């Protein structure tokens, strides 16, 4: 039994495709049956459509990559009209990932999504790529408290808040988000990093910094997930560098209810399926009936 | 052809010039010229697979032509017959053969000839198309398997004058004689040729090379600016009409 | 001219072997002429000798490693008596790296080192492996301010404070250390991470968390170094995942006066020499006369 | 011999049983039995080199015997003649041959026989030493090149009884007949044998396998507990007197 329940939503299994790495799901249906997934978190949405950042958007680093997409997306309205109908048909939990640069925008967008068929609203308070605001919400827990509280009022959907690893104090951040009404916490988003092109003597990215993801960040992400699991009572969805079923099990043993797979989708388009099947085989081998038996077991 | 993730075996991998290799993988592939595959012949490092255009396809194998520039292509260059390789593809829009009618000029710069070779092969089967080929290299030419001996007009320029004209091929190329130009090469070359074509009023198709992560349209790291907003070069491209694109400089 | 000046001490070149990865230098003299180095930072010292942590001390991760050595060292007195005389003969700058778990210990040890022949005192306020105290000094800048201030009073040696990447706010931390009297800042120490052995269902390390180092941390480390260079006026010594001369140049272009090489010493014992020669060749190729020309050039 | 970092070429690499390979590297090496090298036959990943004991040395090459257990040894197993490999070593204290006098028993478990093979070869050249060899395996024996046909007393036990006695070798081994015991194998085996030897009052040397980063004594990640405090198994060991060690078990 790989199924898990996240704030009232039943997932077939704990493996969710992470926001920004899986489009709206359709791109992957050539490679595997996406209904096998526990859920799909949409590309990060904003109230208004966004073209995202100019210049280089990706730079590969050791065991990871840096991205500076800057929330390119069609906007919430177009999402609901053009993308959501297809996502609904995928027969997996639909998570709308919502970003923003002002509280007003967050609230308006959340209210629109509230009336849609999405299963969970994942509030991204952490995208480090948008110059104004985006970063700040995820750094100081008092600021996060405010935006989460306002969004909470605007929606009755299950509300999952996605934390940035760049937060000053990840536990304090998680606690404040829960106080403000989060039904679940997901973490981590990308780590703030920079890269320099020594030939041109310039930063690789126009925004100078960009978000680091992939296997390189796993030990730090796992530590943060473990710490957050120890300080909040809501379900935690862990992520950061997961690329094998063993990684996924580590996050579950650290206390995650579910996990998300991001950058690893670029290694092999059906890697989520490998991870799901790996978890199933591990459970069979070890005689684990339900993931609850091992969730947070290292504590 | 639906794109797939395939694990296959290397059929042949040979050095054909200083840093250029030709790699074939056995199998039956239905691919449009200008499409590409994400290749991977390693486990963990580098993290991402590498986009490589289709250079040739026949009944029993697919062939890639690649320039060794960094870690990924270095690993490719060490492959031997029978080694494992994975391919995701075919990807991208490819060249729209229906657009290529009348007098068509294919203009390649360096490794940019890779996809044009297969395009030439396909085009030369079509009636009502007259194809000429224009290729520029730093030094020794390569990648002209389907073209040499078959193409009625083949112009070559090399920077060191070892073959053909001395200098850059686009300096010897005049768009106005053609109905359509196709270009694949360094961005600076494509950008210059786009301007030349625009001035001559001749439409041009170019194949964009952007850094890619997913290669399948999901991650949005490979976008280029078009008059119609940012587009994904992996899924909406890599082939774009020059008139759509907004290149820097 | 690769030479650089760090708080009055002239280094032949900007490449320093990082604390804890180079012993007291002797282990490497079989492999290359260690006098080629800009400097050597000693294994982390404490006032009293320490046996360090029990259990597993090392775990390899993607493009990195985790360590939980726990400051095993012979103590400052034995260092001065048994190790320093050899280090002096190595004809390179000698940096004593000092850790501790109480302010009193730090101050006593600093006073002893003050009377020795060391060139620079590197104050490690960041070792995450010692249960009591060690972590806290490096997290909150007010706590760091206190310990740096006290140590400052105890020594007239050039004082370099080594920051933890786990600090809540790396710039605020650096600024406070400078206010308290630091002559230079070095960063980063290891990132706090965890690893889980899914077979035994236990954390790999007895202390649960351990320090992550190596190429995996480079983008984050470089970002922090860049940020710190932008907010303090003292020389900054950057490190974190440097394994090639290109990495070293990136850190210099981000503003570092010098750099340290840690984990990479384990890849190839004479890697520091490769990096030094790589920097020299790069400077020759690019017509760079002095590193000052490119230091902080991306700003 | 002073330890060095050497870039060399693979001489031979052959599978000798299910997951066990024998790798030789050309060159002239002056090594004590029980010493090891940090091997590396990859560029970036895994990050660290792998400690492997010396299995044999002759005038023209050095040989290692290794068990494929993870990513590093997997890469080693794919090496072919002429491939690049780097070696740092020889490292560690090795066995003190002067301590090994009279009746000496070498007891190896699985891949633990690797260093004992070369130790046997050296010991059997010394006068006044009578060496017996005791080896335990899960199944098929391996790594006994220098021993088989030369050693007057060779005992083998296998867990599946395919060769020799059935079960664990130490259950068939009695220390009291010997002046000195040398053991290399899984920690649990060494720990049990240490107790047996202690009870019999026979000194024992064991070779410790700890995870290593530098391998040369600088990083202190490989320490083991001894009565004299924590010691580095790479530089102060890997060979320790059983009576010095404090094992967890
Ligand atoms: C659609 C498409 C088709 C291509 N077809 C071919 C081909 O047929 N033959 C060929 O030799 N090359 C082709 N390229 C370029 C090829 O992908 C790069 O040369 C290759 O990825 C370099 O990898 P590396 O590890 O050797 O180099 P590195 O420089 O180490 O790569 C570092 C990163 O930059 C990316 N990168 C480096 N150069 C390029 C580039 N020119 N374009 C895009 N990304 C790059 C890599 O993918 C990687 O993520 C194509 C690129 C694209 C986008
Ligand atoms: C002094 C010494 C001598 C050794 N001699 C031999 C030998 O002659 N033949 C042989 O087959 N093996 C030997 N080993 C064990 C060998 O080093 C490991 O099997 C090998 O490092 C595993 O690497 P891997 O990448 O295949 O496995 P992984 O499990 O992927 O390795 C992960 C990490 O754990 C470490 N590790 C894993 N197993 C061991 C182990 N048993 N001991 C120490 N570190 C380990 C690796 O070095 C690496 O850092 C020796 C170990 C030591 C310390
Ligand atoms: C290309 C890319 C785009 C991303 N876009 C978003 C986004 O829009 N919203 C969001 O919350 N996270 C976004 N992320 C972060 C991922 O969802 C995930 O939190 C992070 O990459 C760490 O997980 P990983 O190491 O498995 O990739 C993006 C990541 C990548 C690599
Ligand atoms: C095994 C090991 C031991 C270390 N011990 C110390 C120490 O005693 N004092 C200290 O300040 N830093 C210590 N460090 C941290 C390094 O000096 C360095 O700050 C860190 O590893 C990041 O650099 P790197 O990625 O180049 O290794 C240690 C690192 C390692 C890997
Ligand atoms: S590479 Fe991911 S969208 Fe193009
Ligand atoms: S492995 Fe570094 S001291 Fe032993």
């Amino acid at each position: 039994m790989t199924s898990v329940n996240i704030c009232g939503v039943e997932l077939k299994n704990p493996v969710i495709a992470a926001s920004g790495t899986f489009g709206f799901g359709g791109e992957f249906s050539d490679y595997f049956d996406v209904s096998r997934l526990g859920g799909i978190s949409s590309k990060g949405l904003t109230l208004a459509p966004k073209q995202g950042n100019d210049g280089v958007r990706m730079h590969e680093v050791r065991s990871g990559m840096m991205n500076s997409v800057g929330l390119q997306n069609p906007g919430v309205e177009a999402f609901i009209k053009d993308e959501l109908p297809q996502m609904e048909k995928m027969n997996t939990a639909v998570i709308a990932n919502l970003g923003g640069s002002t509280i007003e925008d967050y609230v308006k967008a959340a209210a629109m999504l509230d009336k849609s068929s999405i299963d969970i609203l994942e509030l991204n308070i952490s995208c480090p790529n948008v110059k104004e605001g985006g970063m700040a919400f995820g750094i100081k827990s008092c600021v996060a408290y405010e935006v989460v509280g306002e969004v909470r009022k605007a929606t009755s959907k299950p509300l999952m808040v996605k934390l940035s690893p760049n937060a000053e104090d990840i536990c304090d951040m998680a606690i404040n988000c829960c106080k403000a009404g989060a039904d679940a916490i997901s973490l981590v988003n990308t780590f703030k990093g920079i890269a320099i092109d020594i030939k041109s003597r310039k930063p690789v990215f126009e925004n100078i910094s960009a978000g680091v993801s992939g296997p390189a960040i796993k030990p730090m992400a796992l530590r943060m997930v473990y710490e957050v699991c120890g300080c909040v009572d809501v379900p935690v969805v862990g992520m950061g560098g997961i690329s094998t079923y063993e990684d996924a099990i580590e996050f579950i043993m650290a206390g995650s209810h579910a996990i998300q797979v991001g950058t690893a989708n670029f290694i092999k388009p059906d890697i989520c399926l490998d991870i799901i099947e790996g978890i199933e085989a591990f459970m069979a081998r070890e005689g684990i009936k339900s993931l609850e038996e091992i969730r947070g077991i290292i504590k | 052809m639906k794109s797939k993730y395939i694990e296959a075996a290397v059929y042949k991998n040979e050095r054909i010039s200083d840093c250029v290799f030709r790699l074939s993988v056995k199998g039956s592939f239905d691919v449009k010229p200008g499409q590409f595959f994400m290749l991977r012949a390693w486990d963990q490092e580098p993290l991402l697979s590498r986009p490589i255009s289709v250079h040739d396809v026949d009944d029993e194998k697919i062939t890639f032509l690649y320039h060794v520039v960094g870690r990924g292509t270095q690993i490719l260059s060490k492959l031997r017959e029978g080694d494992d390789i994975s391919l995701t593809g075919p990807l991208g829009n490819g060249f729209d053969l229906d657009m290529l009618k009348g007098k068509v000029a294919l203009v390649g710069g360096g490794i940019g000839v890779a996809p044009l070779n297969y395009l030439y092969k396909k085009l030369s089967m079509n009636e009502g198309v007259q194809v000429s080929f224009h290729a520029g290299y730093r030094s020794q030419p390569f990648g002209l398997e389907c073209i040499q001996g078959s193409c009625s007009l083949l112009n070559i320029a090399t920077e060191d004058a070892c073959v053909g004209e001395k200098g850059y091929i686009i300096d010897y190329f005049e768009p106005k004689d053609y109905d359509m130009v196709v270009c694949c090469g360094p961005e600076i070359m494509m950008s210059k040729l786009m301007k030349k074509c625009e001035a001559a009023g001749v439409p041009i198709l170019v194949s964009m090379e952007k850094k890619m992560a997913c290669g399948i349209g999901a991650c949005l790291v490979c976008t280029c600016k078009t008059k119609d907003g940012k587009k994904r070069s992996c899924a909406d491209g890599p082939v774009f009409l020059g008139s759509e694109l907004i290149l820097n400089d």
Side-chain angles (χ1 to χ4, degrees), chain A, chain B:
Chain A
M1 271 282 297
T2 53
S3 69
V4 293
N5 187 301
I6 304 281
C7 31
V9 179
E10 185 83 9
L11 309 182
K12 280 172 218 168
N13 62 59
V15 180
I16 299 168
S19 176
T21 67
F22 213 76
F24 299 107
E27 286 81 3
F28 286 83
S29 54
D30 272 2
Y31 305 98
F32 73 105
D33 174 7
V34 293
S35 77
R36 291 291 305 277
L37 291 170
I40 298 175
S41 178
S42 76
K43 171 67 206 155
L45 305 167
T46 50
L47 182 62
K50 270 177 73 81
Q51 284 291 320
N53 293 334
D54 287 338
V56 171
R57 287 186 169 191
M58 199 280 288
H59 179 69
E60 214 178 351
V61 293
R62 284 290 292 276
S63 295
M65 60 177 271
M66 300 172 70
N67 90 81
S68 179
V69 170
L71 288 183
Q72 178 176 344
N73 82 95
V76 169
E77 195 178 328
F79 165 74
I80 293 173
K81 193 163 66 67
D82 304 331
E83 306 292 347
L84 189 53
Q86 262 99 288
M87 282 185 88
E88 274 168 32
K89 290 192 202 120
M90 287 174 191
N91 188 23
T92 182
V94 174
I95 302 172
N97 180 279
L98 179 63
S101 44
T102 66
I103 294 190
E104 296 69 50
D105 282 2
Y106 269 119
V107 169
K108 273 190 208 156
M112 288 167 72
L113 289 165
D114 185 56
K115 294 193 223 79
S116 77
S117 65
I118 63 162
D119 295 304
I120 298 175
L121 178 62
E122 182 176 49
L123 197 67
N124 170 15
I125 56 168
S126 46
C127 182
N129 295 324
V130 181
K131 275 174 199 151
E132 36 183 62
M135 190 60 169
F137 290 120
I139 304 289
K140 300 241 175 238
S141 43
C142 53
V143 188
Y145 179 82
E146 205 189 335
V147 64
V148 174
E150 294 302 318
V151 169
R152 174 73 291 175
K153 287 183 219 157
T155 183
S156 56
K157 295 280 183 193
L159 178 61
M160 177 154 85
V161 179
K162 182 167 177 181
L163 307 186
S164 165
N166 308 308
E168 286 192 349
D169 181 331
I170 199 78
C171 280
D172 191 49
M173 176 61 79
I175 291 168
N176 270 282
C177 291
C178 291
K179 276 192 197 147
D183 300 310
I185 297 289
S186 61
L187 74 163
V188 299
N189 212 311
T190 54
F191 282 74
K192 195 177 173 191
I194 74 168
I196 297 171
D197 178 346
I198 65 171
K199 280 188 195 126
S200 70
R201 306 182 183 184
K202 292 209 174 74
V204 168
F205 293 99
E206 283 198 2
N207 280 347
I208 301 180
S209 73
V212 184
S213 63
I217 68 171
K218 199 198 81 175
M220 285 76 85
L222 185 63
R223 187 266 295 180
M224 291 180 184
V225 167
Y226 170 73
E227 288 180 356
V228 166
C229 289
C231 67
V232 300
D233 293 323
V234 301
V236 170
V237 176
M239 79 194 89
I242 295 176
S243 69
T244 63
Y245 84 86
E246 289 99 330
D247 294 338
I249 298 286
E250 279 192 80
F251 276 81
I252 291 167
M253 288 185 172
S256 304
H257 277 66
I259 58 101
Q260 294 188 15
V261 177
T263 304
N265 291 305
F266 311 151
I267 300 175
K268 185 169 176 285
D270 58 353
I271 205 161
C272 281
L273 197 58
D274 295 349
I275 294 173
I276 293 166
E277 291 173 351
I279 292 173
E280 287 167 355
F282 177 79
M283 289 174 72
R285 243 176 7 248
E286 302 260 318
I288 298 165
K289 300 254 152 34
S290 151
L291 288 172
E292 257 174 76
E293 292 171 36
I294 55 167
R295 184 187 309 140
I297 197 166
I298 67 156
K299 253 168 270 177
Chain B
M1 182 185 176
K2 195 176 128 176
S3 171
K4 282 190 289 196
Y5 171 84
I6 308 156
E7 293 181 348
V10 170
Y11 176 73
K12 204 168 181 184
N13 188 33
E14 49 185 346
R15 165 177 259 134
I16 62 162
S17 94
D18 220 16
C19 311
V20 179
F21 286 71
R22 187 167 44 209
L23 168 73
S24 316
V25 177
K26 238 185 180 152
S28 155
F29 294 86
D30 178 15
V31 183
K32 277 172 72 177
Q35 289 191 302
F36 66 95
F37 282 77
M38 296 296 283
L39 300 190
R40 187 178 194 93
W42 50 87
D43 181 13
Q44 300 193 320
E45 206 60 31
L47 184 71
L48 301 170
S49 307
R50 297 297 190 246
I52 303 286
S53 303
V54 175
H55 180 59
D56 198 7
V57 179
D58 64 25
D59 291 344
E60 53 174 8
K61 62 183 184 302
I62 186 165
T63 303
F64 303 95
L65 190 77
Y66 61 97
H67 195 163
V68 175
V69 296
R71 199 166 302 276
T73 47
Q74 225 154 60
I75 299 178
L76 291 182
S77 74
K78 293 198 176 128
L79 290 173
R80 291 178 264 198
E81 195 190 321
D83 283 349
D84 297 334
I85 184 165
S86 77
L87 299 79
T88 303
L91 299 167
N93 56 358
F95 295 105
D96 183 351
L97 295 187
D98 292 336
M99 283 178 76
L100 300 171
K101 294 278 149 80
K103 292 178 82 177
V104 176
L106 310 188
V107 187
I111 196 68
V113 301
L116 299 180
N117 180 65
Y118 184 49
L119 176 61
Y120 175 83
K121 186 171 165 180
K122 283 286 182 186
L123 278 182
S124 59
M125 295 171 183
N126 286 4
E127 281 185 28
V129 191
Q130 273 169 273
V131 194
S132 68
F133 207 97
H134 311 262
Y137 300 89
R138 203 154 289 163
S139 182
Q140 208 55 48
F142 53 77
L144 303 170
E145 296 84 356
C146 302
I147 294 126
Q148 244 150 356
S150 139
C151 188
S152 55
L153 179 58
L154 169 60
N155 284 328
I156 290 178
T158 55
E159 289 175 42
D160 67 357
C162 77
V163 177
E165 308 286 347
K166 178 177 168 66
Y168 298 114
I169 187 69
I170 55 170
D171 294 333
Y172 298 94
F173 175 75
E174 187 41 67
K176 76 172 184 327
D177 309 332
Y178 298 94
D179 296 310
M180 191 84 191
V181 173
V182 175
C183 181
C184 186
E187 190 155 326
I188 176 79
M189 169 186 180
M190 297 197 290
S191 153
K192 280 191 180 157
L193 191 56
M194 274 164 60
K195 280 184 199 139
K196 241 176 150 164
C197 287
E198 196 183 3
V202 177
I204 176 170
L205 285 175
V206 297
S207 177
M208 295 298 294
E209 286 191 6
K210 290 283 174 184
K211 289 196 181 180
M212 292 179 178
C214 72
I216 65 174
C219 72
L220 309 186
V221 306
C222 67
T223 50
C224 47
K225 259 192 200 163
T226 75
K227 294 188 176 139
D228 204 24
K230 297 232 167 78
K231 290 200 173 169
R232 303 165 301 179
S233 51
C234 68
D236 306 315
V239 179
F240 292 95
L241 258 175
S243 53
E244 287 182 273
L245 284 177
I246 306 171
L247 294 188
N248 302 341
D249 82 325

